[in-house]
Amino acid sequence: MHRNQISTWVYLLTLVLTAISCSQKIDWISTTESQPWVMNKGLMVTNSKEDADVTIDPNQTAQTIEGFGACFNELGWTSLSRLTSENQRQIFSELFEPGVGANFTICRMPVGANDFSRDWYSYNETEGDFEMKNFKIDNDKETLIPFIKEAQKLNPSLKIWASPWSPPAWMKWNKHYACAVPWDGLAEKYRNNLPAERQGKEGTNMFIQEEPYFKAYAQYFSKFVEAYRKEGIKISTIMPQNEFNSCQIFPSCTWTAAGLAQFIGKYLGPEMEKQDVTLFFGTMERPNEALVDTILNDSFAGKYIKGVGFQWAGKKAIPGIHQRYPEMALYQTEQECGNGKNDWAYCCYAWTLMKHYLQNGTSAYLYWNISLDEGGFSRWGWQQNSLVTVNPAEKTYKFNHEYYLLKHVSHFVKPRAKRLITKGTFENILAFKNSDGSIVCVVQNDKSSDKEVKIEINGKTLKPVLPANSFNTFVMKAE
């Protein structure tokens, strides 16, 4: 071989070795309807320059992520209690143990009964007990407290926030936990026996707007925080009313924004400040931004509000609120709940919700029901989805599609991660940068055939061929 040929081969070999040395392995997990959580191999990111479908600059960051989680509901605990202790251990590990599965770091709970409680209850149904002498959380010691403590065993730093669906019935003018009468045809076991003349409506205050009731209700929240603290559970944040516009056949209470502003500014705000509990406004389930503005701009209430929680149609108010209050913490407080079928189509819809909330400034994203029996029926007859479905007859369980979707984000995106800005023609993506410098990209291929997507990250390119109808997570570790 001639000397010039040897030089050429040495040069080519050097180029190959240089390319290899500049390549970086990528962790890639994919989920399809039939194959969840598949670990793929062989994907590399290289220094090659190509026209990218999407570009990510790790220096262009948006909000800081606080975490992901779900809600502790009574029917979640009763469904899981049907399983063997070993199956329960596996589920709790998958949901809460750091580094194992979903890595939940922030969860919600009700203050008293909600629609997925065993039945109606509050912590004090003694009418006229303005001093809260008969306050007690005995009901929760059977369900919610052991539920939360099982999670805390695996993640002691799990953050818990709470909101009521209804105050004690005697604090409402209709003297009933519900707001709306049941519709015709609803089975008797789901009916609430609310007379039609005592039905409430949106845009009114069902809570009695008098100082003794305001003071007593603020004490009610304070005693709830104290009672849970004695059980070893710290309540980090309170939101004063779940869906304050929604008149429901299950526990609910409508308020006006002005009524809530008065309660927060003069009573609840000062009380929660004494308890060292953060106060958010929420949960907001309407697209009306003015309702949020009323609270945040109120001279008394605004100073106590450190964040706002949104769910359902409230998602349409998030972009404007985030734009006007860019430093305000925003939570997505309850993922829309489906119809109990837990099918792939709804999982794909859930992805659009996740993108919308996270791309518009939310720092926490929470699923709704952790676990339900097959059918997903609430105490008041509403069928909903859940992360886990339990078969009561066979005492078996399964994780549903939406669990794996949530895990595609929550397993890899750690608290204090920054969301990254993405640019390009491909928009079906979320990107984050963890504190350790690792980059996480979550991508959907919503087409019925495989699709190659070129993703450029800080001048490097990866070209995965995404399986048809799939969710994918790519993790580029810090160099």
Side-chain angles (χ1 to χ4, degrees), residues 86-118:
E86 176 58 22
N87 282 342
Q88 291 178 43
R89 188 200 66 77
Q90 292 170 354
I91 292 169
F92 275 93
S93 175
E94 179 70 16
L95 294 173
F96 298 103
E97 188 170 358
V100 173
N103 287 330
F104 284 170
T105 56
I106 179 170
C107 284
R108 181 185 189 181
M109 67 166 293
V111 180
N114 65 7
D115 45 326
F116 279 82
S117 294
R118 296 176 295 179

Side-chain angles (χ1 to χ4, degrees), residues 240 259-270 279 281 295 301 304-305:
L260 280 171
Q262 183 180 9
F263 176 52
I264 292 168
K266 296 181 180 179
Y267 305 97
L268 184 61
L279 192 59
F281 174 58
I295 301 293
Y304 294 110
I305 299 298

Side-chain angles (χ1 to χ4, degrees), residues 82-152:
R82 304 182 194 282
L83 303 173
T84 65
S85 57
E86 176 58 22
N87 282 342
Q88 291 178 43
R89 188 200 66 77
Q90 292 170 354
I91 292 169
F92 275 93
S93 175
E94 179 70 16
L95 294 173
F96 298 103
E97 188 170 358
V100 173
N103 287 330
F104 284 170
T105 56
I106 179 170
C107 284
R108 181 185 189 181
M109 67 166 293
V111 180
N114 65 7
D115 45 326
F116 279 82
S117 294
R118 296 176 295 179
D119 207 342
W120 161 248
Y121 74 97
S122 78
Y123 301 129
N124 187 354
E125 282 301 313
T126 304
E127 184 161 7
D129 184 10
F130 293 105
E131 297 180 0
M132 289 291 130
K133 292 180 179 179
N134 293 307
F135 182 98
K136 58 184 178 181
I137 61 167
D138 291 1
N139 181 87
D140 292 11
K141 293 178 181 179
E142 300 175 5
T143 52
L144 295 176
I145 289 173
F147 200 174
I148 295 169
K149 285 190 172 182
E150 283 298 311
Q152 285 182 322

Side-chain angles (χ1 to χ4, degrees), residues 28 30-33 344 348 351 408 428 443-447 450 465-472:
W28 175 14
S30 62
T31 289
T32 62
E33 183 175 8
W344 181 254
C348 294
W351 164 247
H408 265 278
N428 218 348
V443 186
Q444 184 199 29
N445 175 15
D446 59 359
K447 307 302 182 184
D450 295 353
V465 177
L466 308 177
N469 296 312
S470 66
F471 296 104
N472 303 266

Side-chain angles (χ1 to χ4, degrees), residues 24 37 58 95 104 108 138 199 201 230 233 236 265 270 277 287 352 369 374 378 404 415 417 453 456 479:
Q24 186 178 354
W37 210 253
L95 294 173
F104 284 170
R108 181 185 189 181
D138 291 1
Q199 181 169 251
K201 64 179 180 178
K230 290 178 182 178
I233 299 170
S236 65
V277 171
T352 69
N369 280 296
E374 285 187 341
S378 78
Y404 291 103
V453 176
E456 183 184 316
E479 295 182 280

